[in-house]
Amino acid sequence: MSEVFISGIVVFVLAAFVGLEVISKVPPTLHTPLTSGSNAISGVTILGAIDLAGTADTLATILGFLAVVFATFNVVGGFTVTHRMLKMFKSRD
């Protein structure tokens, strides 16, 4: 295996561990603002994935496409949850 691949795997595993530790410590009242923040991050992820999907390498194109799909699911789901949460706080006429 190449050194770049191994370092990429190490970064991915460390990021997953840190993300899990950070999210598990968040109280439920802060989940909606964090979802809105993750929508912005996923928007940046979509741009990077589109750039990756446009490469000539077949594996990079497939992984870029999957990244676009999953990041889009995250953005749409995050906005849906945020919209439903904010609708709960609207005054009823």
Side-chain angles (χ1 to χ4, degrees), residues 26-91:
V26 174
T29 56
L30 294 179
H31 279 251
T32 300
L34 284 177
T35 302
S36 298
S38 73
N39 286 336
I41 294 169
S42 289
V44 174
T45 304
I46 290 173
L47 293 176
I50 288 172
D51 185 39
L52 181 65
T55 62
D57 185 22
T58 306
L59 179 62
T61 302
I62 292 169
L63 291 176
F65 173 75
L66 290 174
V68 168
V69 170
F70 290 132
T72 303
F73 284 154
N74 191 23
V75 169
V76 171
F79 278 119
T80 302
V81 168
T82 303
H83 180 48
R84 287 182 66 192
M85 290 289 289
L86 292 175
K87 196 161 74 168
M88 289 172 38
F89 293 105
K90 285 187 179 178
S91 63

